Amino acid sequence: MRLFEIILLVSASIFPFLFLFKRGIANKKFIFILVGIIFILHLLLEGLRWQMFLCYILILITLMLWKKAKSKPWNLFIKILMTSSYIVVLVLSWSLPMLLPVFTLPAPTGKFKIGTKYIHIKTDRPELITQDQKDQRELMLKVWYPAQITEEGLEDYLDKGSRLGFATKYGLPAWSMNYLDFIKTHTYIQPAIAKGKFPVLIFSHGHYSNAFGYYSLLEEIVSQGYIVININHTYESTGSIFPNGEIKLYNTTYDSLSNNSEQAEMVWNATQQFQQAENTEEEYQAIKDILTDYVAAKSIQRWSNDISSVIDHLENDKQLSFIATHMKKSGIGVFGHSHGGAAAGQALLDDKRIEAAINIDGTQWGDMINSTLNKAFASISSAWPEEHPNFNNQAFRNKSNADFYNIRINNTGHSNFMDIPLMVNVPAINEAGDMAPFKAYEITNSLILKFFNKYLLNKQNNIYAIENKFEEVSIQTVF
């Protein structure tokens, strides 16, 4: 929390008890003036946000009652009733700004400033998620790139589509995300691209997540000299806003129709058989069909096609020409988180233009179980609990003819690779592990950069050196 927010909350915690039990306290006028000054400084330097409204109300009511208090003390019953009610409200007053804080993003350590530009692309592929058979697949992209800054301003944290989608997902009103205006990014709005040539990475987000809510990872990678094309998979992210102002949220209708009871029963039965298996062959027999037939596999294939469509546009679309002359001809890297990580793995199989890929904490649905890789690949996972069925042991059963790293980061959870641990500061809710968020980002970025530096830039990077630097990291090479 911010400094003056803490001071106001402490004030709200102390003043009512002074009022109830020390009504004769001197220097009331001084207290009024001091609280007023603190509030004004909070307003000017930090700004109002709705999470603090209960605190504002508590202080206001307390000061008003204090000012009008009579010399006769209240009886014990009234004191107990008011104190009990006040404690409940006070707990909420502290909880709201702590649960949804004004957080600080990690500062990028690379030499490049960061710019972004939003690009709208239309494909000739049918849109399978909507009911209209005439619809064709459209995507919003956010291109992050090394920039040269003149007078450009910093962009707001999350666009309108992402904010509305996040609020809708958790049943919150749209205005509840306005406090994100206080989050300072390190990303500038459409500056010129920096001089030089840079390798290109394509990033795919998690299923039903904020497509562009990965500042902690992407700002650092771009600052080190990479162009990152961040896909928003339409109708399967929380929300996507298009140039005409239309916002397309997660399509719950399609989800309920495609991920139906039959699909749920199929994956439940396979999971039970997998967990009861006594050897790897029985594990394989239990899940070999669902890895390719489950609805998630169909979505993974659609996302892999999205990635290929982006590469097509990268080669031919005038909107992306501003980065065309700044692209290194060293091949394209793809990485993603969760569902997007699996899409990165599938795209590595599907598209010969992709040189290397990373799956960050995603179950590898799709064709991987029936394939052998011939290009560099890394699987980075959080510390999955024992009850989490590790389908990836079978998904990667054919291993690889190229370098293949199986990496685990202990003490992390599924959300440690996105901004959620900063946005929602409660591990029991945000699915983060015990590791401090900034350290998790540092480790993940180190792994991503070393991997792509090695396989896109041919740098002699020792990926295993990260094991010596961070004891939480375990790396196995799979052949």
Side-chain angles (χ1 to χ4, degrees):
M1 288 188 294
R2 299 173 295 178
L3 175 61
F4 290 107
E5 288 182 353
I6 295 173
I7 295 174
L8 285 172
L9 284 164
V10 171
S11 300
S13 303
I14 294 174
F15 290 165
F17 291 99
L18 292 176
F19 170 53
L20 289 171
F21 300 107
K22 299 289 184 180
R23 298 177 59 198
I25 192 169
N27 298 321
K28 290 182 182 180
K29 186 175 182 180
F30 171 76
I31 297 295
F32 278 90
I33 294 173
L34 179 61
V35 173
I37 292 173
I38 294 171
F39 183 81
I40 291 172
L41 289 173
H42 165 63
L43 175 64
L44 295 177
L45 300 179
E46 297 176 340
L48 301 177
R49 63 181 180 116
W50 67 266
Q51 292 95 328
M52 289 291 294
F53 281 178
L54 284 177
C55 177
Y56 305 151
I57 292 170
L58 276 180
I59 290 177
L60 179 62
I61 291 176
T62 301
L63 293 179
M64 289 175 61
L65 290 174
W66 197 0
K67 184 177 182 181
K68 295 181 179 180
K70 299 178 180 179
S71 59
K72 185 178 179 180
W74 289 348
N75 64 49
L76 181 60
F77 175 77
I78 295 296
K79 286 184 177 181
I80 292 175
L81 179 62
M82 292 191 65
T83 302
S84 300
S85 302
Y86 167 75
I87 289 174
V88 172
V89 178
L90 182 64
V91 169
L92 291 174
S93 299
W94 277 93
S95 298
L96 287 173
M98 292 176 68
L99 176 64
L100 299 171
V102 174
F103 57 88
T104 300
L105 291 166
T109 64
K111 68 177 182 179
F112 292 101
K113 299 292 185 181
I114 303 153
T116 58
K117 186 175 183 179
Y118 291 88
I119 303 293
H120 173 212
I121 67 171
K122 299 180 179 180
T123 77
D124 57 3
R125 295 160 44 215
E127 179 55 81
L128 302 177
I129 295 178
T130 58
Q131 301 296 316
D132 191 340
Q133 294 184 355
K134 296 180 181 179
D135 285 349
Q136 292 183 306
R137 186 80 163 155
E138 298 182 46
L139 301 168
M140 285 303 301
L141 313 178
K142 184 176 183 180
V143 183
W144 309 63
Y145 54 90
Q148 45 185 331
I149 307 303
T150 52
E151 297 180 352
E152 295 81 10
L154 292 168
E155 71 173 12
D156 291 336
Y157 182 80
L158 296 184
D159 61 24
K160 186 177 179 180
S162 296
R163 292 188 183 190
L164 178 61
F166 186 84
T168 302
K169 179 178 180 179
Y170 294 103
L172 300 171
W175 55 260
S176 66
M177 295 293 106
N178 291 346
Y179 80 98
L180 295 177
D181 291 340
F182 296 123
I183 309 302
K184 182 180 179 182
T185 71
H186 307 95
T187 300
Y188 292 85
I189 304 170
Q190 296 189 28
I193 192 168
K195 295 179 180 179
K197 292 183 179 293
F198 310 99
V200 174
L201 303 177
I202 297 175
F203 179 77
S204 179
H205 60 82
H207 184 258
Y208 203 1
S209 69
N210 275 328
F212 305 142
Y214 291 82
Y215 280 78
S216 301
L217 291 185
L218 301 189
E219 285 188 334
E220 173 63 19
I221 291 169
V222 176
S223 79
Q224 299 291 339
Y226 280 84
I227 295 170
V228 177
I229 302 176
N230 186 177
I231 302 177
N232 191 326
H233 297 282
T234 314
Y235 299 120
E236 295 177 278
S237 70
T238 53
S240 184
I241 184 169
F242 287 80
N244 63 359
E246 182 183 8
I247 296 176
K248 297 180 180 180
L249 301 178
Y250 182 79
N251 194 308
T252 55
T253 300
Y254 175 81
D255 180 61
S256 62
L257 292 174
S258 59
N259 194 11
N260 53 32
S261 59
E262 182 180 346
Q263 289 280 306
E265 183 179 0
M266 179 178 69
V267 75
W268 188 88
N269 288 335
T271 301
Q272 294 301 305
Q273 294 173 23
F274 180 85
Q275 293 176 328
Q276 294 168 11
E278 296 181 357
N279 53 57
T280 56
E281 182 59 28
E282 289 184 2
E283 288 183 350
Y284 169 69
Q285 293 298 327
I287 64 169
K288 64 183 179 66
D289 292 330
I290 66 163
L291 282 179
T292 55
D293 297 341
Y294 182 49
V295 62
K298 295 178 175 61
S299 177
I300 290 301
Q301 186 62 63
R302 179 166 54 250
W303 288 22
S304 173
N305 294 339
D306 285 348
I307 292 170
S308 292
S309 291
V310 169
I311 299 175
D312 293 340
H313 282 260
L314 190 59
E315 296 174 343
N316 302 304
D317 196 320
K318 290 183 179 179
Q319 295 180 92
L320 291 164
S321 61
F322 77 102
I323 62 173
T325 58
H326 294 273
M327 293 167 47
K328 279 188 178 292
K329 304 301 181 182
S330 56
I332 291 172
V334 178
F335 68 121
H337 173 236
S338 191
H339 208 63
Q346 183 66 43
L348 188 65
L349 294 173
D350 293 343
D351 199 314
K352 64 181 181 181
R353 295 169 294 184
I354 299 171
E355 286 293 319
I358 300 175
N359 176 347
I360 303 174
D361 216 34
T363 298
Q364 191 61 61
W365 306 99
D367 297 333
M368 190 71 73
I369 191 171
N370 298 317
S371 306
T372 300
L373 283 166
N374 294 300
K375 291 177 284 189
F377 181 77
S379 172
I380 301 175
S381 73
S382 62
W384 290 1
E386 290 186 5
E387 62 271 17
H388 187 296
N390 190 352
F391 291 173
N392 282 353
N393 286 339
Q394 292 302 322
F396 300 130
R397 70 193 312 267
N398 291 323
K399 302 180 182 179
S400 176
N401 293 324
D403 291 346
F404 184 159
Y405 303 91
N406 186 18
I407 305 169
R408 175 186 167 101
I409 307 176
N410 292 314
N411 301 327
T412 57
H414 189 62
S415 71
N416 276 119
F417 307 101
M418 55 200 308
D419 295 343
I420 290 296
L422 302 179
M423 290 182 67
V424 182
N425 190 24
V426 179
I429 297 175
N430 64 26
E431 297 184 359
D434 297 329
M435 184 182 295
F438 276 33
K439 185 175 183 181
Y441 301 139
E442 181 185 4
I443 293 173
T444 307
N445 275 318
S446 297
L447 289 165
I448 293 169
L449 288 165
K450 280 190 176 292
F451 179 85
F452 286 122
N453 284 346
K454 181 178 178 66
Y455 295 104
L456 296 187
L457 299 179
N458 295 316
K459 292 185 177 181
Q460 298 302 311
N461 277 359
N462 181 8
I463 296 175
Y464 294 95
I466 297 179
E467 284 186 304
N468 299 325
K469 184 176 181 181
F470 301 105
E471 63 181 6
E472 296 88 353
V473 177
S474 172
I475 303 176
Q476 294 178 333
T477 305
V478 181
F479 297 103

